[in-house]
Amino acid sequence: MTGLTTHVLDLTHGIPAANVTIDLYFQEDHSLEWKHIKTAVTNADGRLDHPLLTEAEMKIGNYELLFHIGNYYRGNNIDLHHPLFLDKIPVRFGLANKNVHYHVPLLVSPFGYQVYRGS
């Protein structure tokens, strides 16, 4: 498998995070500007129904995933302080090889998160 995938796990409840909106951006040629590529929403398993990028769509360069985690917690009626400690979580990473699979999972709670390159 090749392409770019992600999934989100809600560590507060120990479940996959469904209905999390994720925006994908690409940084063109070392510019300071980020181009929006697409928006996707996680399914009941905290995953996407389709890769964010297929092998044909992947380009070597810098990417950003923007996870709208505040909306997820608000939508699940979690009683949190306002403003939220974590509302949108940006994750910037580089793709050095467009012929391999990149998986970028997010483990999240209202007060912290971890991201890593998965398999």
Side-chain angles (χ1 to χ4, degrees), residues 20-106:
V20 174
T21 299
I22 304 167
D23 292 317
L24 175 65
Y25 296 88
F26 180 74
Q27 188 177 33
E28 296 283 351
D29 301 320
H30 304 294
S31 73
L32 296 178
E33 295 183 32
W34 290 85
K35 177 184 174 189
H36 180 261
I37 297 174
K38 69 173 63 171
T39 299
V41 178
T42 59
N43 60 24
D45 195 33
R47 298 177 184 273
L48 303 177
D49 291 330
H50 305 285
L52 283 162
L53 296 174
T54 64
E55 179 180 8
E57 296 170 317
M58 288 180 64
K59 297 191 287 188
I60 292 172
N62 295 312
Y63 289 83
E64 178 180 271
L65 292 172
L66 184 62
F67 295 88
H68 296 258
I69 206 65
N71 289 342
Y72 165 77
Y73 281 113
R74 282 188 287 271
N76 285 291
N77 298 317
I78 306 300
D79 186 25
L80 298 171
H81 300 283
H82 295 282
L84 297 177
F85 182 69
L86 294 174
D87 188 19
K88 296 177 183 173
I89 299 173
V91 177
R92 290 186 176 176
F93 57 96
L95 298 185
N97 184 342
K98 62 183 184 175
N99 299 313
V100 298
H101 180 216
Y102 283 83
H103 184 63
V104 185
L106 178 72

Side-chain angles (χ1 to χ4, degrees), residues 4-30:
L4 173 64
T5 59
T6 188
H7 75 270
V8 183
L9 297 174
D10 177 348
L11 296 177
T12 305
H13 300 99
I15 59 172
N19 298 312
V20 174
T21 299
I22 304 167
D23 292 317
L24 175 65
Y25 296 88
F26 180 74
Q27 188 177 33
E28 296 283 351
D29 301 320
H30 304 294

